[in-house]
Amino acid sequence: FTAIAVESAFPESRQLAEYIAGGPGTAEEILTETRTWWHEPLEENLQLVSWMRAYNANPSRKHPVRLYAIDLSYTGAWGSRPTPLALEAAVGYLDRVDAASAHALASTFQPWLLRLANPMASWTKSEHDACTAAIDDLVALLERERVTYLASGSAADYEWACRAAMVAQQADRMFRV
């Protein structure tokens, strides 16, 4: 096998996925800082992450084992609201490859990010419609400018940004129900 999928919040999983692929830090630090599928630092999770990193570090392995988080990112009572993390990740990527678009979208998203961060904030239908439209615009921009953005940065960063934007879009749609 080449993948382990966990019911975990996608936006929060990047640091862990990068650590497993050889990135900085220790398993203990990463698990403590990026709790996603664990609500407490379980020894079994530490062992799994350590094994995945060691497996990937062996140069004789043709295919690395990757971690995939397969859940949206929610906050509030019973996980009822999307978090701002997915939007922040996508706009952060844009800031590196298209600062003008990032600035415009950051301004657009600012009131929504504050509301998403506060699970008790109320939303009117028109406010939610405006937030949904801004998220859809972000996804469309990433798709439309794919070639330009790939030329300006790494494919991995682009893919993470696209997935983050789609997670925001999916979480928003779930929130609207």
Side-chain angles (χ1 to χ4, degrees):
F1 61 90
T2 59
I4 294 178
V6 295
E7 185 178 359
S8 177
F10 175 80
E12 292 91 337
S13 71
R14 184 167 187 182
Q15 186 179 2
L16 179 58
E18 288 176 348
Y19 170 77
I20 289 168
T26 68
E28 294 86 356
E29 290 170 346
I30 300 299
L31 287 173
T32 300
E33 293 171 11
T34 63
R35 291 186 184 170
T36 57
W37 94 83
W38 47 88
H39 299 288
E40 57 186 73
L42 299 175
E43 179 63 26
E44 292 84 357
N45 294 336
L46 177 62
Q47 290 173 7
L48 175 62
V49 167
S50 297
W51 174 83
M52 291 174 73
R53 182 176 170 104
Y55 181 93
N56 290 341
N58 184 336
S60 69
R61 308 279 190 208
K62 291 183 180 182
H63 303 287
V65 175
R66 302 209 190 279
L67 177 82
Y68 293 94
I70 58 169
D71 207 350
L72 305 175
S73 184
Y74 285 101
T75 189
W78 305 284
S80 59
R81 297 253 177 123
T83 69
L85 296 175
L87 290 171
E88 290 167 346
V91 173
Y93 166 77
L94 280 177
D95 194 44
R96 295 187 299 276
V97 298
D98 182 356
S101 293
H103 180 72
L105 282 167
S107 295
T108 300
F109 283 127
Q110 193 57 39
W112 315 129
L113 295 175
L114 295 172
R115 290 230 173 138
L116 290 171
N118 177 2
M120 303 309 290
S122 62
W123 293 69
T124 66
K125 182 179 180 329
S126 63
E127 290 169 335
H128 204 160
D129 289 347
C131 181
T132 298
I135 293 170
D136 291 345
D137 290 346
L138 169 63
V139 171
L141 173 67
L142 288 165
E143 291 171 350
R144 185 176 61 249
E145 298 297 327
R146 179 181 185 276
V147 172
T148 302
Y149 294 163
L150 284 171
S152 299
S154 78
D157 283 347
Y158 174 79
E159 291 301 327
W160 274 99
C162 285
R163 288 184 189 122
M166 286 185 256
V167 162
Q169 192 175 51
Q170 291 168 347
D172 177 66
R173 288 181 179 149
M174 295 290 294
F175 178 40
R176 291 186 75 85
V177 174

